Amino acid sequence: MANQFSFMTRTRQGVLLGGCLFVLHVHAAQPGTNYYEDALRRYDGRDIQGAIVQLKNALQQNPKLLPAQVLLADAYLLTGSPGAAEAALESAQALGADRVVLAPKFAQAYLRQFKYQQLLDQVSHQGLPPIQAAEVLVQRAAAQAALGQVKEAEATLRQAERLSPDLAAVNVAQGTLALQKGDVRAAREQADRAVVLAPNDASVWSLKASVAHLVGDIPAALAAYEKALGLSPDFVDARVARAGLLLDLKRTQEADQDIKILEKSAATDPRAAYLVSLAAARRGDGAATRKALTDAANAIDQLPTAMVRRNAQFLMLGALAHYGLRSMEKAQAYLQSYITLQPRQPGARKLLASIYLDRGDFKETIQLLYPMSEGANPDPQVLTMLASAYLGRKQYTQAAELFERAARIAPGSTDARVGLGLTRLGAGQTAQGLAELEQVFAKDPGQAKAGMVLATHQLRSGEAGRAVDILRKLTQADPDNLEALNLLGTAQAEAKDPAGARATFTQAALKDRNFLPVQFNLVSLDMDQGRQDHARRRLGAILKFRPDHPDALFLLARLEESAGRPDETLRLLERIRAGKVKPLASLAYLAERYLRSGNAKQALVVAQDMEALYPGNPSVQEILGQTYLASGSVDKARATYNRMARNAGFDPAQLTRAAGLLMSVGAYDDAGHALNKALDSGKPYLPAQFQQVELDLRTGKLAAAEKRARDLRAAHPGNAEASRLLGGVYMAQKKPTEALAVFKELWQKAPTGPNTLALFQAHQAKGEHQAAIDLMKGWVGKNPRDVAAESALAEAYLRAGQLQSARSTYETYLQKQSRDAGALNNLANILHQLKDPKALDVARQAYSLAPDNPNVSDTLGWILVNKGLAQEALPYLRDASLRAAGNRAIRYHLGAALHQMGRKAEARKELQAALAGKAEFEGADQARALLTQ
C-alpha cells in the first residue's frame, strides 16, 4: 500500500510540473522500439527466425507495441506457424489495429490451419479497399474449394479478378482450382500469366512446378520448386511438394534436407508431418516418428470433419497416428469412418478390433471379426483376436477352440499359445496357464505378452524380485519394448530399488521421450525424492505436445500446491475439469482444495459434477457430503452418508468409514447400524471396534467407552491407535493426568507428529500451558515442514496470552500456507488486540478466502466496528449472525454495531439475545455494560 501511494503521489507531482515533463515523455523512446527496428531489418533481409526473436524481445519490453504484433504475425505466416500468427493478430486487434491490415492476414492464418468455416464466417471482404478485398476473396475461395464448394469458389475468384485484375494471387488461385479439377491446360495458362504479373512471387513458381509435376516433366518441376524456394525459403507448400517428389524418386538424402527444414518450420502441417514420419521410420528412429505422428494427428484433428471423411488417406493417417500415440478414442473414430469408405480392407478391421479388445468391448470385437473368421483359409491373427474377445467374455470353450485352430494354421505363432495360456488362467486352471506361458517365454524371452503376464502375476503375488528377473530377460530380448521397460522400473521400485527404477525409466525415456507412462513414473520418482524442479521440467515437456493431458496437469497442480501457489493449483485443476477426460482423482483434489480455501459453494458444484460422472462411488459420496456440510446443508450430508453406507453392502472398511461420517453429522443411530454391519461381516474388524469406542464417547457412554478402550489396548498392546484411543477417553472424562501418562508413554515410543499433538493437548488440558508450548516449540524446531504443528503452536501462544509469539508464529506459518483463512482470521484477531492497524487488511484477506465462514465475517465486522465503521460492518455481522445463530459473541458484536449507528431498539434486542444464556462468552461483561446504556 505504501509503495502504491508514493507512486500515485509522484504521478500527481509530475502533472503539476507542467508541459516540459509532458514533452519529455512524448519524445522518450517507446520501450521495445530498438528491438522492433532490428526485427524489421532482419525480416526484410529474409532472416525470419531472427526477426521473430527480436519481436518477442520487443513485446516482452512493451506488450502494447502494435507494429511488433503485426510484424510478428507476418513472420509466423511465413514460417508456417499459422496458429501463432492468429494469436499475434488477435493481440493486434485488441490493441486497435485497422481491419484493412488484419483481414487478409486473419484469412491466411485461418486457411493455413484448415479453419475453413471460421474463415468464411469471420473474415469478409466487404468494406475493404479493392486490393485487400481481392486478397480476402482469394483466401475465401480456397476455403470454399476445400469444403467441396467448387462452383462457389469459382464465382468468388471471378469477383476477386474484377476487383483487382492484376493481382497474381488471383491467377495462382484460379490455376490451383483448375489443377484440382484436372484442367491442366487452364492451370498452365494461369501460371504463365501469373509469372508475367509477379515473377518474384514464390507461389507463382510453385504453381508452375505443380503443373509440370502433374504432366510428368520432373526436371521442370524440380527447377520451378527450386525457384520458388529460392525466392521464399520458408514457403512450406513448395518444400512439402518437393520433398514428396524426391521421396517418390528415392532421392532420400535430398529429401531429408527439405524434411529437416520442415521439422522446424512446419510441424503442424499434416502433409509435412507425414513426410517427417516417413523419413524417420525409414531411419528407424522411433522417437522422431512418434513426434511427427503427434504433429500429424494434431493437424488432421483440426481439419474440417466433412473434408476428412471424404479422404481415405487422411482417415488412415489419423487412425495410425492416434493409435501410435495411444489416443484410442480418436483412432477408433477415424477407423470407423475409413471402414465406411473401404469396407473390405482387412487391416483397418483388425486395427479397430485391437482397439475394441484393449478397451474391453468384446461384443464389438466379435461382431467386427466373426465374418472374417469363416472360410477355408482364415487369417490366424483374426482367429487369435477373436479368441481373445471370447476369453474376455469368459467363454473359455470358444476361446480355447479358436486359439487351438490358430495354432494349427500357424504352428510357429506364439500368440495363439499365449492366448491358450491366458484361457487356462481365466478358467481357473492357474498352474496349467502359468506353465503354458512359462514354456512360451522360456522358448522366446522376447514374447512380450507372456512375459508381461508372468511378471504382473509375480508383482500381484508380492514377488517383485521374481518379476524383475522375468522383465530383465524380456527387455534384454526386446530392448525397445517400452511397456516392458516401464513395468521393469515399477517392479524395481516395488523391490525397494529406486536407483535401479530411475535408471530403467530413464533408459525407456531416452528411447522415446513421448512415451507418457514412463515420463509420469519419472515425475513421481522426482516428487518422492524432492527433485521438484526436475519434475516440473518433465511435466512442461509433456504439456508442450499434450497440452490438455489430465495426468500431466494433475501432477503439475500438485507441484504448484507444494510450491505454495494455490491460485495456479486451482487453475490447473479447473482446466482438467473443463476437459473431455475428467479423472476422479483430479476432481476430488479440486473439491478438497476449494473446501480448504473456504469456497464451499464451488466445492459443492464440483462434488455434484463428480456424483453425476461417478454415481454410487463411496469416495464421491464422502466428498459430496463434506461439501454439503461446508455449505451448511447438514440434512443433505446425512442423507448422502446414509446412501454411502447402503452402497457399502457388507464391506467392513467402507461401512466403518460411513459410520464415522454419520457420527460427524450427529446421526448416531445410523452410525451404530453401520458399525453393527461391519462387525457382523465375519472376522473382527479392528477399525470398526475403534469406531465403536468413538461412538460411545459421542453418545456420552463414557464408562462403556473406557471399558472397550481398555480391552482393546490389552488385546493389542503394541497398537498405537489403541493407546491413543484410551488417552482420548481419559480426555473426554476430564482425567488429564491419566491421559498425560498414556500419551507420554506413546510419545516416548514414537515421537511422531500425531503423538506430539496428543501429548500437547493433554498438557493443555492439565493447565500446563508452558509445557505444551515447550513441547510443540521443540517439535516445530526439528520439523519445520509440519504446518499442522506450527498452527497448533500459534494457537497455544494465543491461548496463553503470548500475543507477540502467537503473531510471529502465525506469520511464519502463513508464509507456507498463505490461503489458510482460519489462520489469517486468528492473526487478524491478534493484530486487533495488539492495536496494529494491519488487522483490518488481514481480516479482509481472510474474508476474501472464506466469505461464507461466520467467524471470519464476524472478525472483519468487529474490527470495523472498533474503527467506528459500523455502517460498513453491519452486513458482515448480520451474515455471520444468520450463519451462526447460536454464537452469542457475534450477537453482541451485531448489537454493538447497531448501537454505534444509533439504532437503540435493534441493539437492545441483539444484546438481550446475546446475554440470554447462562454460559459466559468473550465480551460478555462489555455486552452487559452496553445493555445498561
Side-chain angles (χ1 to χ4, degrees):
M1 291 296 291
N3 289 339
Q4 184 180 0
F5 178 75
S6 62
F7 171 76
M8 291 172 66
T9 304
R10 287 197 300 271
T11 303
R12 292 192 186 98
Q13 289 172 343
V15 171
L16 291 173
L17 287 174
C20 62
L21 184 62
F22 176 74
V23 173
L24 179 63
H25 280 300
V26 168
H27 290 290
Q30 193 175 8
T33 300
N34 291 336
Y35 282 123
Y36 170 75
E37 293 299 333
D38 184 53
L40 186 59
R41 284 192 293 271
R42 291 173 182 270
Y43 183 89
D44 289 339
R46 313 309 296 173
D47 178 11
I48 309 301
Q49 294 297 337
I52 290 174
V53 171
Q54 293 298 73
L55 288 168
K56 287 181 177 179
N57 289 333
L59 291 167
Q60 188 174 13
Q61 281 196 354
N62 183 3
K64 295 184 178 182
L65 191 61
L66 181 56
Q69 291 285 12
V70 174
L71 186 61
L72 184 61
D74 288 338
Y76 279 137
L77 285 171
L78 272 180
T79 56
S81 302
E86 182 186 350
L89 290 169
E90 287 174 346
S91 297
Q93 189 176 55
L95 292 172
D98 196 309
R99 177 172 170 264
V100 172
V101 175
L102 296 185
K105 301 179 193 298
F106 266 122
Q108 288 183 56
Y110 289 147
L111 185 67
R112 294 184 187 185
Q113 293 177 84
F114 312 101
K115 295 181 178 180
Y116 303 130
Q117 197 59 52
Q118 190 171 349
L119 191 164
L120 296 173
D121 292 342
Q122 297 183 13
V123 187
S124 170
H125 72 288
Q126 295 181 9
L128 296 175
I131 291 179
Q132 286 77 19
E135 289 174 350
V136 168
L137 286 168
V138 166
Q139 309 298 335
R140 288 178 63 86
Q144 289 167 329
L147 292 173
Q149 303 168 9
V150 178
K151 290 184 178 179
E152 291 87 342
E154 290 174 338
T156 299
L157 288 174
R158 286 194 295 270
Q159 186 179 6
E161 190 173 21
R162 286 194 298 270
L163 285 170
S164 185
D166 295 329
L167 186 65
V170 176
N171 301 112
V172 172
Q174 289 174 325
T176 302
L177 193 59
L179 275 182
Q180 292 173 3
K181 293 169 61 179
D183 189 345
V184 178
R185 184 185 61 78
R188 181 183 286 112
E189 289 176 358
Q190 294 290 353
D192 291 343
R193 186 178 178 202
V195 167
V196 173
L197 291 171
N200 294 321
D201 187 325
S203 64
V204 169
W205 289 100
S206 181
L207 175 61
K208 281 189 71 69
S210 296
V211 173
H213 188 179
L214 190 64
V215 298
D217 188 351
I218 302 304
L222 289 174
Y225 282 132
E226 182 69 24
K227 179 72 172 178
L229 290 170
L231 290 168
S232 180
D234 298 304
F235 189 8
V236 174
D237 289 352
R239 198 168 294 279
V240 166
R242 186 173 72 174
L245 177 56
L246 290 169
L247 282 174
D248 289 342
L249 295 171
K250 301 189 185 305
R251 292 162 62 171
T252 307
Q253 289 185 339
E254 294 173 76
D256 278 344
Q257 295 175 10
D258 282 332
I259 289 170
K260 286 178 182 178
I261 296 172
L262 289 170
E263 283 182 295
K264 295 180 180 178
S265 64
T268 59
D269 188 305
R271 302 161 303 162
Y274 182 62
L275 289 171
V276 171
S277 70
L278 284 178
R282 289 185 182 183
R283 295 195 304 269
D285 189 338
T289 302
R290 184 180 295 273
K291 179 183 180 303
L293 289 175
T294 300
D295 296 337
N298 291 339
I300 291 172
D301 288 346
Q302 294 174 7
L303 291 169
T305 304
M307 184 183 109
V308 175
R309 283 180 179 170
R310 294 193 298 268
N311 190 310
Q313 183 183 19
F314 273 160
L315 287 170
M316 183 53 76
L317 177 59
L320 291 172
H322 282 296
Y323 187 87
L325 297 168
R326 296 169 180 81
S327 301
M328 298 307 180
E329 186 176 343
K330 290 184 177 180
Q332 175 187 328
Y334 281 117
L335 284 168
Q336 288 170 335
S337 296
Y338 182 90
I339 289 171
T340 301
L341 283 179
Q342 306 284 342
R344 297 184 180 181
Q345 216 286 334
R349 282 182 173 268
K350 289 194 288 185
L351 189 59
L352 181 57
S354 72
I355 294 174
Y356 286 150
L357 271 176
D358 289 341
R359 200 173 59 202
D361 289 342
F362 305 121
K363 182 179 178 181
E364 289 85 350
T365 305
I366 292 168
Q367 290 177 343
L368 188 66
L369 294 180
Y370 188 80
M372 299 173 64
S373 69
E374 299 297 299
N377 297 302
D379 184 338
Q381 186 182 12
V382 169
L383 296 178
T384 301
M385 294 173 72
L386 187 58
S388 299
Y390 281 118
L391 175 60
R393 298 190 72 175
K394 300 182 180 179
Q395 294 176 250
Y396 300 117
T397 302
Q398 293 94 325
E401 289 175 356
L402 285 163
F403 279 129
E404 289 170 353
R405 187 178 164 199
R408 286 196 301 271
I409 295 172
S413 171
T414 56
D415 287 343
R417 290 195 61 194
V418 169
L420 193 57
L422 294 175
T423 303
R424 305 287 189 221
L425 288 174
Q429 303 167 3
T430 306
Q432 293 170 282
L434 290 174
E436 185 79 39
L437 294 173
E438 285 168 355
Q439 288 177 17
V440 171
F441 190 69
K443 184 177 179 181
D444 178 12
Q447 220 301 326
K449 197 163 190 178
M452 296 287 276
V453 171
L454 289 169
T456 303
H457 176 79
Q458 298 296 350
L459 276 174
R460 288 175 178 169
S461 303
E463 298 288 343
R466 295 183 67 182
V468 168
D469 292 340
I470 292 169
L471 291 163
R472 284 197 188 284
K473 292 178 182 177
L474 175 55
T475 53
Q476 286 168 3
D478 185 4
D480 293 325
N481 188 325
L482 298 179
E483 288 83 0
L485 283 169
N486 190 48
L487 189 60
L488 173 58
T490 303
Q492 289 170 313
E494 288 287 327
K496 310 300 181 188
D497 181 14
R502 179 175 291 281
T504 301
F505 289 141
T506 302
Q507 179 186 353
L510 289 173
K511 290 180 179 294
D512 186 351
R513 294 191 177 277
N514 297 324
F515 182 56
L516 294 187
V518 77
Q519 292 292 347
F520 288 136
N521 279 329
L522 280 168
V523 169
S524 296
L525 267 182
D526 287 336
M527 292 173 70
D528 290 343
Q529 296 175 355
R531 296 157 55 107
Q532 311 301 335
D533 290 343
H534 289 78
R536 189 179 298 279
R537 283 196 293 271
R538 289 188 201 280
L539 290 172
I542 292 170
L543 289 168
K544 278 185 179 179
F545 75 96
R546 296 289 296 278
D548 294 317
H549 197 289
D551 294 339
L553 291 171
F554 182 51
L555 288 170
L556 185 57
R558 287 178 53 195
L559 275 175
E560 294 294 356
E561 185 177 44
S562 66
R565 289 189 280 270
D567 289 340
E568 184 63 11
T569 301
L570 289 175
R571 188 189 69 78
L572 289 165
L573 293 171
E574 282 289 5
R575 188 168 153 193
I576 299 172
R577 180 171 164 242
K580 291 183 179 179
V581 180
K582 308 173 196 294
L584 176 57
S586 64
L587 292 176
Y589 205 65
L590 176 59
E592 181 187 343
R593 292 309 165 278
Y594 277 130
L595 282 175
R596 184 184 296 179
S597 65
N599 191 343
K601 182 178 180 181
Q602 191 59 30
L604 179 58
V605 171
V606 175
Q608 289 170 333
D609 287 350
M610 291 169 65
E611 188 181 39
L613 288 168
Y614 301 95
N617 186 295
S619 299
V620 171
Q621 289 172 329
E622 179 176 346
I623 294 169
L624 180 60
Q626 289 174 343
T627 59
Y628 277 135
L629 273 182
S631 303
S633 302
V634 179
D635 290 338
K636 290 182 178 180
R638 184 184 295 114
T640 302
Y641 295 148
N642 267 314
R643 288 203 310 273
M644 179 181 172
R646 287 195 299 271
N647 290 335
F650 284 90
D651 185 321
Q654 289 189 18
L655 284 166
T656 302
R657 181 61 184 159
L661 294 168
L662 287 164
M663 285 164 55
S664 71
V665 294
Y668 300 125
D669 291 342
D670 294 334
H673 179 68
L675 285 174
N676 288 335
K677 281 181 68 178
L679 292 168
D680 289 343
S681 61
K683 64 179 184 178
Y685 186 61
L686 193 58
Q689 293 175 303
F690 288 158
Q691 194 78 271
Q692 206 165 36
V693 177
E694 293 285 355
L695 182 59
D696 286 338
L697 286 174
R698 297 286 185 92
T699 54
K701 300 173 183 177
L702 300 184
E706 182 179 351
K707 183 180 184 306
R708 290 185 198 274
R710 283 183 177 277
D711 290 345
L712 284 168
R713 194 185 190 207
H716 306 279
N719 189 300
E721 183 59 32
S723 295
R724 269 194 293 273
L725 194 60
L726 180 58
V729 171
Y730 286 140
M731 291 282 282
Q733 292 175 324
K734 300 192 185 305
K735 296 178 180 179
T737 302
E738 290 84 346
L740 193 62
V742 172
F743 287 137
K744 187 172 289 186
E745 179 185 348
L746 185 61
W747 185 80
Q748 288 171 346
K749 290 180 180 177
T752 63
N755 291 345
T756 302
L757 186 59
L759 182 58
F760 164 82
Q761 291 168 340
H763 277 303
Q764 285 194 314
K766 198 176 178 183
E768 299 173 352
H769 296 297
Q770 193 56 48
I773 288 172
D774 292 343
L775 172 71
M776 194 56 76
K777 187 176 179 181
W779 175 261
V780 170
K782 294 178 182 178
N783 301 275
R785 293 185 179 181
D786 191 338
V787 291
E790 194 167 36
S791 177
L793 176 60
E795 189 173 345
Y797 281 133
L798 181 57
R799 286 189 182 186
Q802 300 180 30
L803 297 183
Q804 289 293 354
S805 296
R807 172 183 180 168
S808 62
T809 306
Y810 269 124
E811 287 173 344
T812 301
Y813 167 80
L814 285 164
Q815 289 175 358
K816 304 167 189 172
Q817 300 288 325
S818 61
R819 295 180 66 84
D820 188 329
L824 285 164
N825 188 60
N826 286 348
L827 179 58
N829 276 308
I830 292 167
L831 294 172
H832 179 57
Q833 292 180 58
L834 293 172
K835 302 189 184 306
D836 190 318
K838 293 179 183 177
L840 182 57
D841 288 338
V842 176
R844 289 191 193 280
Q845 188 179 352
Y847 180 79
S848 71
L849 294 171
D852 297 332
N853 187 309
N855 294 320
V856 172
S857 300
D858 174 55
T859 297
L860 177 55
W862 187 232
I863 292 173
L864 288 166
V865 169
N866 282 271
K867 286 183 172 292
L869 301 172
Q871 184 77 40
E872 185 179 349
L874 191 61
Y876 299 113
L877 294 171
R878 285 206 187 280
D879 180 83
S881 180
L882 289 171
R883 291 179 184 275
N887 189 316
R888 293 155 65 207
I890 293 176
R891 301 294 292 269
Y892 155 53
H893 295 161
L894 178 56
L898 291 164
H899 171 75
Q900 190 179 109
M901 296 169 66
R903 296 161 65 169
K904 305 294 185 182
E906 293 176 76
R908 185 178 298 109
K909 178 183 176 182
E910 295 298 331
L911 292 169
Q912 287 172 339
L915 295 166
K918 294 181 180 179
E920 289 295 288
F921 59 90
E922 187 176 349
D925 290 339
Q926 293 90 330
R928 291 189 190 93
L930 187 58
L931 183 58
T932 61
Q933 297 179 34

